[in-house]
Amino acid sequence: MATYCLTVARLQLALGQGARRFHVAAALNAKAKVSMSRFEPNSYINYDMLRSNIDIVRKRLNRPLTLSEKIVYGHLDDPAGQEIVRGRTYLRLRPDRVAMQDATAQMAMLQFISSGLPKVAVPSTIHCDHLIEAQIGGAQDLQRAKEVNHEVYNFLASAGAKYGVGFWKPGSGIIHQIILENYAYPGVMLIGTDSHTPNGGGLGCICIGVGGADAVDVMAGIPWELKCPNVIGVKLTGTLSGWTSPKDVILKVAGILTVKGGTGAIVEYHGPGVDSISCTGMATICNMGAEIGATTSVFPFNHRMKTYLEKTGRGEIAALANENQDLLVPDSGCHYDQIIEINLSELKPHINGPFTPDLAHPVSDIGSVAEKNGWPLDVKVGLIGSCTNSSYEDMGRAASLAKQALDKGLKCKAQFTVTPGSEQIRATIERDGYAKLLRDVGGVVLANACGPCIGQWDRRDVKKGEKNTIVTSFNRNFTARNDANPATHAFVTSPEIVTALAIAGTLKFNPETDFLTAPNGEKFKLVPPTGDELPARDFDPGQDTYQHPPPDGSGLKVDVNPQSNRLQLLEPFDRWSGNDLEDLRVLIKKHNVSWVVVGDENYGEGSSREHAALEPRHLGGRAIIVKSFARIHGEYEIFLPLEAKRHLPIDFNSSVWSVNRNKLEETGPAPLKAVIKHSDGSSETIELNHTFNETQIEWFQAGSALNRMKALQK
């Protein structure tokens, strides 16, 4: 979170000089002005600024730097004075860009409107990808979404026009794919209001998923706070081949680190094996790094990134990055807090699940493991696409398997859906015949959107509670995430394995060794999939779905209906009274009383964590007491996040908690005391830790960071 405890003069400086200093899509070479994309002809890149900051920090620390340190420390607001200790200090940073998907952009833009500022201080975009429900097919589902979400889309389009935010209309594609195609490039620091923003690490970026409040900080031109990350190094050797894909790298890493093993760290891939992975493959690996709790993930700049930049119309940026490659790779001898080594030549295809993305299995074992555990063997639906795996290469490899099956007269035994990552991908796979092959084998091409990956799926082939198996190329497979059915056993794997299992119709099929049977009785094996990394004839951009904001939107009005059931302008939360929290009931009583959440480890894991924080506070929640918080969730200053030192005694029926907050005047992890009154009349006292720094305490006392910012403008 950015620091709001500024004098009015410093706030004006942040909105003026600071914003101009960093009004670049990334800090890269002042010598050259080049188009970031066809949508931002005035953006420029400046590697000189990045180099200057890195040199200052390297001299101060007197040691080699990892790649992630170079990019993060290269964006410090005060590289000469900032205290830098991995895993401990809070860094004040100047990100270059903000991206918001439509579900989270609503809250972010409502908060920005409440700030009273006239225009965003850094390049920002809104992407309409989360509100399109998969039902019939792409065109029909898109039209229905435009009708159902008309009010939301109008609000976002009008707010974007007024405040200088680019607007990608529904049907444009998934936010992370559009960022990779247009806005990401080596050395950039981007924050996005979605967990899978780290997708951009495939182009050598530090892209971090945040809550909407963080996005508002950056859009306001105020330094943004991030706890200085540790760095986990993943050394890759060998070469990918055959059925093994980039997805298998992160599936393997998830199995090693688990869903919380990357918390507080950036995962940095390096080693000779990197060059065997395509740029979009690297993006796949970084994207799903969110499932291990990592702050973000990143790859070093190489020729695969250069080629991708050139193919997506950013050849000048590719040339500049090539000239400054020393800034975009780790220093020799740099230190990692943890090292994982993976030999890509020995890596086998994996499938993870069910119900958690870190339960890793080799594909060769999944049939027997499923039988042993009583998991349904029949694959009901195979789903490919999503922000994780919807590149041209992904679609090409899946289509190569579809063609093999069709040549033998086979179609998918399971239902099969295809989600293109962007309008550009959709148009290109249509032109090049991939989409036809995928439809002919039994697939339904859905809209360019998140769809079933985030639960936007009107699934009707099974009843709620009916036990069944689906396989996806998505990133998350938590209970009921995809179809709202808690009995659905969802597995995540690569698009090519999904396609093979959809053709075979069973988890017991191992495409590396098993045979399929053609209608004429012929037995045959699928040949390992192939697919071009990038289209030979360049990309087909498809329909133009971008709305650029006007030069001056001050005279425009934001479209919010006062009678709306979906949107309303925000009212500020009340300030802290200064008193202790007393007689808090456990969990929601919704009787106009204050209450407390008591939970376990990694609280707040998953998506839409800002809503998960704002809604309890709106309903009267005052504190959350758990063993540990997931990244992001514990950083909201609208409630009091507390971690217990020992086992939490919980009596859900009648226990009452009181929390002494006097220690909030101190910085760091100062202990607070909580008194628990039980239903039998007994009571006990336990110690709890908060991790607010001085600035965050001020935000909490003001009722929110937004309240604090408004107060400073008066």
Side-chain angles (χ1 to χ4, degrees):
M1 297 290 247
T3 299
Y4 290 133
C5 60
L6 302 170
T7 63
V8 173
R10 289 194 68 198
L11 177 62
Q12 292 171 341
L13 177 66
L15 297 178
Q17 176 184 330
R20 288 193 297 273
R21 176 185 173 197
F22 283 90
H23 183 70
V24 291
L28 301 176
N29 202 340
K31 296 182 287 186
K33 287 191 176 184
V34 297
S35 173
M36 266 305 302
S37 74
R38 55 191 171 132
F39 309 113
E40 291 185 355
N42 296 321
S43 295
Y44 65 93
I45 59 178
N46 183 347
Y47 278 120
D48 287 348
M49 180 70 74
L50 193 65
R51 184 179 298 278
S52 174
N53 287 359
I54 291 171
D55 287 346
I56 291 170
V57 173
R58 187 186 281 113
K59 289 176 182 176
R60 287 183 55 207
L61 298 181
N62 192 31
R63 61 171 174 81
L65 301 177
T66 67
L67 168 60
S68 51
E69 287 184 306
K70 287 182 180 181
I71 302 176
V72 171
Y73 303 161
H75 286 79
L76 286 170
D77 185 55
D78 179 14
Q82 171 73 60
E83 184 182 5
I84 302 171
V85 182
R86 283 189 196 171
R88 200 176 80 193
T89 58
Y90 280 86
L91 307 178
R92 290 162 50 87
L93 301 165
R94 290 285 185 174
D96 307 305
R97 171 175 287 278
V98 172
M100 299 166 279
Q101 42 96 332
D102 49 356
T104 50
Q106 297 170 60
M107 187 63 71
M109 291 308 297
L110 286 169
Q111 290 178 84
F112 186 82
I113 291 169
S114 299
S115 74
L117 298 172
K119 191 173 182 177
V120 295
V122 300
S124 305
T125 48
I126 294 168
H127 304 259
C128 294
D129 63 357
H130 269 55
L131 303 180
I132 302 171
E133 185 180 47
Q135 279 189 327
I136 304 169
Q140 301 97 315
D141 294 346
L142 177 59
Q143 183 56 41
R144 180 175 178 273
K146 288 179 178 178
E147 295 168 2
V148 171
N149 302 304
H150 177 75
E151 185 179 10
V152 171
Y153 294 149
N154 278 359
F155 163 69
L156 294 175
S158 61
K162 182 171 181 64
Y163 295 104
V165 179
F167 179 69
W168 289 84
K169 302 173 186 176
S172 301
I174 305 173
I175 176 173
H176 312 303
Q177 182 68 32
I178 292 176
I179 289 171
L180 200 71
E181 293 173 353
N182 296 277
Y183 303 124
Y185 60 88
V188 75
M189 174 175 274
L190 177 150
I191 67 167
T193 59
D194 188 271
S195 301
H196 296 100
T197 301
N199 189 79
L203 258 178
C205 318
I206 291 295
C207 298
I208 302 175
V210 299
D214 296 70
V216 173
D217 295 346
V218 179
M219 290 191 292
I222 301 172
W224 171 62
E225 276 196 358
L226 175 72
K227 194 169 189 178
C228 189
N230 291 316
V231 187
I232 297 174
V234 179
K235 183 178 181 180
L236 302 179
T237 59
T239 304
L240 287 176
S241 63
W243 284 92
T244 307
S245 73
K247 185 66 164 284
D248 297 306
V249 176
I250 185 58
L251 294 175
K252 179 71 173 179
V253 170
I256 295 169
L257 288 177
T258 77
V259 291
K260 59 182 181 180
T263 303
I266 293 177
V267 179
E268 185 172 310
Y269 294 85
H270 62 282
V274 167
D275 287 341
S276 76
I277 306 174
S278 67
C279 177
T280 52
M282 290 187 263
T284 290
I285 295 168
C286 292
N287 176 293
M288 199 175 158
E291 308 335 310
I292 57 174
T295 302
T296 192
S297 301
V298 68
F299 276 83
F301 178 70
N302 67 359
H303 70 281
R304 310 297 284 263
M305 296 183 191
K306 182 174 181 292
T307 301
Y308 184 82
L309 286 167
E310 291 167 345
K311 276 286 190 178
T312 51
R314 293 170 286 174
E316 291 168 298
I317 296 173
L320 283 172
N322 205 49
E323 291 174 13
N324 292 275
Q325 187 166 4
D326 63 305
L327 302 178
L328 307 172
V329 296
D331 289 341
S332 177
C334 66
H335 171 71
Y336 296 103
D337 297 286
Q338 180 180 352
I339 291 281
I340 295 170
E341 295 194 23
I342 297 176
N343 185 337
L344 301 180
S345 299
E346 298 174 355
L347 183 64
K348 292 294 184 181
H350 272 63
I351 182 168
N352 287 22
F355 307 126
T356 180
D358 60 355
L359 186 57
H361 318 276
V363 171
S364 57
D365 295 345
I366 190 61
S368 59
V369 172
E371 280 186 314
K372 180 180 178 181
N373 288 281
W375 302 335
L377 291 173
D378 289 345
V379 175
K380 289 287 187 181
V381 192
L383 306 99
I384 67 170
S386 83
C387 63
T388 314
N389 276 114
S390 57
S391 68
Y392 184 80
E393 181 182 35
D394 289 331
M395 296 299 174
R397 285 170 66 88
S400 75
L401 298 175
K403 185 177 187 306
Q404 292 181 53
L406 290 167
D407 287 346
K408 298 292 185 178
L410 276 184
K411 289 192 174 184
C412 291
K413 290 184 179 179
Q415 294 183 49
F416 187 46
T417 70
V418 179
T419 305
S422 68
E423 169 61 10
Q424 178 167 271
I425 293 295
R426 183 208 63 79
T428 307
I429 66 171
E430 287 286 0
R431 181 198 68 191
D432 293 352
Y434 292 169
K436 184 178 186 305
L437 285 169
L438 295 170
R439 278 193 292 263
D440 287 349
V441 84
V444 175
V445 179
L446 300 174
N448 314 321
C450 299
C453 181
I454 62 162
Q456 286 284 24
W457 184 16
D458 184 19
R459 187 182 182 192
R460 299 181 180 181
D461 63 301
V462 296
K463 297 178 181 178
K464 291 290 188 295
E466 181 179 340
K467 200 173 177 182
N468 73 102
T469 284
I470 65 173
V471 292
T472 82
S473 69
F474 304 162
N475 40 52
R476 288 189 174 150
N477 59 343
F478 299 118
T479 302
R481 175 177 171 88
N482 302 126
D483 62 0
N485 180 3
T488 293
H489 292 57
F491 296 84
V492 291
T493 185
S494 66
E496 41 268 61
I497 295 296
V498 171
T499 306
L501 294 181
I503 292 169
T506 176
L507 285 179
K508 291 196 72 173
F509 179 69
N510 177 7
E512 290 189 299
T513 59
D514 295 345
F515 288 80
L516 294 169
T517 304
N520 64 2
E522 177 189 354
K523 301 282 187 180
F524 71 98
K525 281 178 61 177
L526 292 170
V527 174
T530 58
D532 292 335
E533 178 179 350
L534 295 163
R537 292 190 285 163
D538 294 331
F539 284 104
D540 182 338
Q543 301 178 36
D544 185 359
T545 54
Y546 178 74
Q547 171 187 293
H548 195 73
D552 182 8
S554 58
L556 300 178
K557 183 179 179 181
V558 176
D559 188 356
V560 179
N561 184 341
Q563 280 74 48
S564 172
N565 291 321
R566 293 189 69 172
L567 292 164
Q568 57 180 305
L569 297 177
L570 297 180
E571 294 292 332
F573 289 120
D574 58 318
R575 291 177 54 85
W576 175 37
S577 66
N579 299 322
D580 291 342
L581 297 172
E582 296 183 341
D583 296 337
L584 302 180
R585 297 287 176 177
V586 175
L587 300 180
I588 302 173
K589 302 298 181 183
K590 293 186 182 175
H591 295 299
N592 198 30
V593 297
S594 297
W595 49 272
V596 61
V597 172
V598 179
D600 207 329
E601 294 184 350
N602 211 32
Y603 181 89
E605 176 184 42
S607 296
S608 298
R609 281 164 282 193
E610 182 172 32
H611 289 77
L614 289 171
E615 290 174 17
R617 178 66 175 84
H618 179 72
L619 294 170
R622 288 296 184 267
I624 296 180
I625 301 172
V626 295
K627 293 180 182 176
S628 65
F629 287 94
R631 193 185 70 82
I632 299 178
H633 198 88
E635 298 174 2
Y636 286 102
E637 292 74 25
I638 55 176
F639 63 82
L640 187 57
L642 298 170
E643 294 184 347
K645 290 185 173 182
R646 63 178 179 85
H647 175 71
L648 289 169
I650 302 173
D651 176 357
F652 289 104
N653 293 321
S654 57
S655 65
V656 176
W657 292 61
S658 298
V659 180
N660 178 296
R661 298 194 291 186
N662 294 335
K663 294 291 185 180
L664 278 179
E665 300 303 320
E666 300 181 14
T667 61
L672 305 181
K673 292 189 182 299
V675 178
I676 306 104
K677 302 174 185 176
H678 296 295
S679 55
D680 62 3
S682 64
S683 65
E684 59 184 302
T685 301
I686 64 171
E687 282 196 349
L688 303 169
N689 286 336
H690 77 84
T691 56
F692 282 166
N693 60 32
E694 185 176 358
T695 301
Q696 291 167 333
I697 290 173
E698 290 187 4
W699 298 339
F700 175 76
Q701 291 170 335
S704 70
L706 193 60
N707 288 357
R708 179 65 176 156
M709 188 170 78
K710 289 189 72 173
L712 289 171
Q713 294 182 69
K714 294 178 181 178

